Amino acid sequence: MTRVVETVRLSGGAVRRGALAWVNPGRLFLLVPVVVSLGFLIAPLVALLVRALGIGDVVRYARDPFFLDALRLTLLTSLATVGLALLFGTPVAWILARWTFPGRRLIEVAVGLPIVLPPIVVGVALLMLFGRMGLLGRYLDPFGIQIPFTTLAVVIAQLFTATPFYIRTALEGFASVPANLEEAALVDGCSQLQAFRSVTLPLALPALVSGLTLCWAKAVSEFGATLLFAGNFRGRTQTLSLAIWTAMEVDLWEAVAIAAMLLLVSLLIFLLVERLPRARQLS
């Protein structure tokens, strides 16, 4: 303590606060929960990758028709989900960002609620709507239209759980664009559509891409709602997440290999999402 005081005296008190922070034992004690938290979050992922690298014939699992069927269906349904989210979610995000009207807050709650709903609740709710005796399904069944346990059911489950991630991120992107820029474009003779295309969309584009990436990641990883509403039928409703669950009962190492592949894809998605805001700031 005497040495610290002497240092302050000799330098006229100009000692950086960051240099003294590590001298304080109380602050050093904070490293304990930090290390425990990081270890808890990182150790399982490291264990998964280490065990996956220890598998002698990973290529064989990557070429397995069981894996390829699940991969094909996952890509097909998740990309369809992203396209539909972009088509229907963008107007919702723009309206919520620009319009003020009665019930706006209620719509915001409805948009965000699926994010916090347990997936199993989502699956039950979708069955109560589209099942043979559901509110809507009872009218579709006489025409031979059955949605549950089909590929369409996979897309619907993904849409319900993943679209809110896009809408909320896109809403923040549109809200960050100053309204006076759009008004200036209108004064210069642009139509509403032209102002949106030339002013709003370019400025909000990084947020839209980030939202679509999050939406796609959620669609790829969806499990609970898909299992209950669409079932687990290979080639028809079995996505990669369901394939891992199935493989756990048959071949543990195939489940480990598929899970490691999904982990790497998720890591790439996270890095992409993290990079977009920084690229926007640099531009």
Side-chain angles (χ1 to χ4, degrees):
M1 184 65 183
T2 303
R3 186 172 301 176
V4 172
V5 173
E6 182 67 17
T7 304
V8 174
R9 185 183 64 82
L10 293 176
S11 61
V15 179
R16 290 181 300 176
R17 183 173 299 179
L20 292 177
W22 297 102
V23 179
N24 191 332
R27 296 192 177 185
L28 286 174
F29 182 74
L30 293 177
L31 289 178
V32 175
V34 171
V35 172
V36 172
S37 299
L38 290 178
F40 177 75
L41 294 174
I42 296 175
L45 305 181
V46 173
L48 174 61
L49 292 177
V50 169
R51 297 307 296 268
L53 292 174
I55 299 176
D57 195 4
V58 179
V59 177
R60 178 174 66 86
Y61 288 119
R63 294 177 178 176
D64 191 341
F66 172 76
F67 167 74
L68 294 177
D69 287 345
L71 176 63
R72 176 189 58 80
L73 183 68
T74 300
L75 291 175
L76 175 66
T77 55
S78 62
L79 291 177
T81 298
V82 169
L84 292 172
L86 177 65
L87 178 63
F88 295 102
T90 304
V92 175
W94 186 84
I95 288 175
L96 291 176
R98 284 290 182 261
W99 292 8
T100 301
F101 54 90
R104 179 179 179 276
R105 180 56 183 165
L106 183 61
I107 295 178
E108 288 183 343
V109 172
V111 168
L113 185 59
I115 295 178
V116 298
L117 275 179
I120 197 70
V121 174
V122 175
V124 173
L126 291 175
L127 281 175
M128 294 302 99
L129 178 62
F130 293 107
R132 294 185 62 182
M133 299 303 296
L135 295 179
L136 183 60
R138 68 180 65 182
Y139 301 105
L140 298 176
D141 188 62
F143 298 97
I145 301 175
Q146 296 183 2
I147 295 178
F149 310 111
T150 64
T151 303
L152 177 59
V154 178
V155 176
I156 292 175
Q158 293 177 354
L159 268 176
F160 191 93
T161 57
T163 301
F165 288 90
Y166 170 67
I167 294 178
R168 291 177 67 87
T169 308
L171 191 159
E172 295 177 0
F174 288 136
S176 67
V177 179
N180 58 357
L181 294 180
E182 298 176 348
E183 295 172 359
L186 296 176
V187 172
D188 289 339
C190 292
S191 64
Q192 287 281 358
L193 180 59
Q194 290 173 333
F196 177 81
R197 290 171 55 185
S198 60
V199 177
T200 308
L201 186 59
L203 293 176
L205 187 59
L208 301 185
V209 175
S210 178
L212 286 176
T213 306
L214 291 173
C215 175
W216 182 73
K218 177 60 178 176
V220 168
S221 62
E222 166 53 38
F223 176 80
T226 303
L227 178 62
L228 191 60
F229 181 54
N232 185 20
F233 303 102
R234 179 176 170 180
R236 190 173 71 188
T237 65
Q238 188 178 79
T239 59
L240 283 174
S241 297
L242 294 174
I244 294 174
W245 183 65
T246 301
M248 287 290 293
E249 301 178 352
V250 180
D251 187 344
L252 173 63
W253 299 117
E254 183 166 19
V256 171
I258 298 175
M261 295 177 196
L262 269 182
L263 172 59
L264 293 177
V265 171
S266 301
L267 178 60
L268 291 175
I269 293 172
F270 176 78
L271 294 177
L272 175 61
V273 172
E274 286 292 302
R275 185 178 179 83
L276 285 174
R278 297 178 184 177
R280 183 178 181 185
Q281 291 175 358
L282 293 175
S283 63

